[in-house]
Amino acid sequence: MHSVTVTREMNSDASVVWKVLDDFSSVYKYNPGVKSSNLVGQKSTGIGAQRVCNFYDGTSLNETITSYVPNKGYTIELSDFALPLNEATSHFELESLGEDRCMLSITLKFVPKFGPLGWLMAKVMMRPMLKKALTGVTKGLDDHIDTGQLVGKGGSLLELA
């Protein structure tokens, strides 16, 4: 199993960041790769909540919350994705650093397809690509909270409709 972790010190109170993260259907507001996201079923957060993320490149994936600690973090299982992976999970963890400051950590763990070749591809190509994507998510979240604007393709800020 491979993993990629990105951390970002946020200039917002942990409760503010948590409110945005916990709005599970609204990942499109801060993830620069996600064009739209929809809930699947009636559950909007907590263990068992599901969403579909539709990306700007035309691909999509499903995400299901598998562990959940209110105001602290959650783990998401990814499925039905176009990447050459057998499995993938992402874990979001939030730590307060005092008033108006917190640390967000996102860890993506994944198992690539294609045996030893997949392992090499993961080390050389996928890990750097995924680290860049996770860095974009943390920056997008920070920008969205700071400005109230949507984060569009590539991280550009858009006006809320």
Side-chain angles (χ1 to χ4, degrees):
M1 181 166 293
H2 296 265
S3 70
V4 177
T5 300
V6 170
T7 58
R8 183 179 185 96
E9 192 169 315
M10 310 284 282
N11 293 316
S12 299
D13 190 76
S15 64
V16 172
V17 176
W18 177 255
K19 185 176 178 181
V20 176
L21 288 174
D22 199 36
D23 185 2
F24 197 56
S25 67
S26 296
V27 66
Y28 72 92
K29 290 181 179 178
Y30 60 86
N31 187 322
V34 176
K35 184 176 182 179
S36 65
S37 55
N38 316 24
L39 286 176
V40 176
Q42 300 299 312
K43 197 162 176 75
S44 62
T45 193
I47 294 175
Q50 297 179 320
R51 69 183 173 203
V52 175
C53 296
N54 302 296
F55 298 97
Y56 286 102
D57 68 3
T59 62
S60 65
L61 64 77
N62 296 339
E63 297 182 322
T64 303
I65 297 177
T66 58
S67 72
Y68 180 86
V69 179
N71 302 305
K72 289 289 183 189
Y74 50 68
T75 301
I76 303 168
E77 181 178 304
L78 288 68
S79 61
D80 299 324
F81 39 76
L83 291 171
L85 304 176
N86 285 324
E87 62 184 76
T89 61
S90 57
H91 179 73
F92 290 69
E93 188 169 340
L94 197 54
E95 177 187 349
S96 177
L97 300 176
E99 191 174 323
D100 294 329
R101 295 174 60 72
C102 64
M103 184 68 71
L104 174 63
S105 175
I106 306 174
T107 300
L108 178 66
K109 294 183 178 182
F110 62 97
V111 176
K113 292 181 179 179
F114 312 124
L117 178 61
W119 183 90
L120 183 61
M121 280 178 28
K123 281 287 189 197
V124 174
M125 295 173 14
M126 294 177 75
R127 288 185 77 236
M129 177 191 73
L130 293 169
K131 185 171 185 121
K132 182 178 178 182
L134 293 180
T135 299
V137 172
T138 59
K139 182 181 182 322
L141 181 62
D142 209 9
D143 289 347
H144 173 66
I145 290 169
D146 187 44
T147 66
Q149 293 177 274
L150 292 176
V151 175
K153 185 176 182 179
S156 61
L157 294 176
L158 310 170
E159 293 295 325
L160 284 171

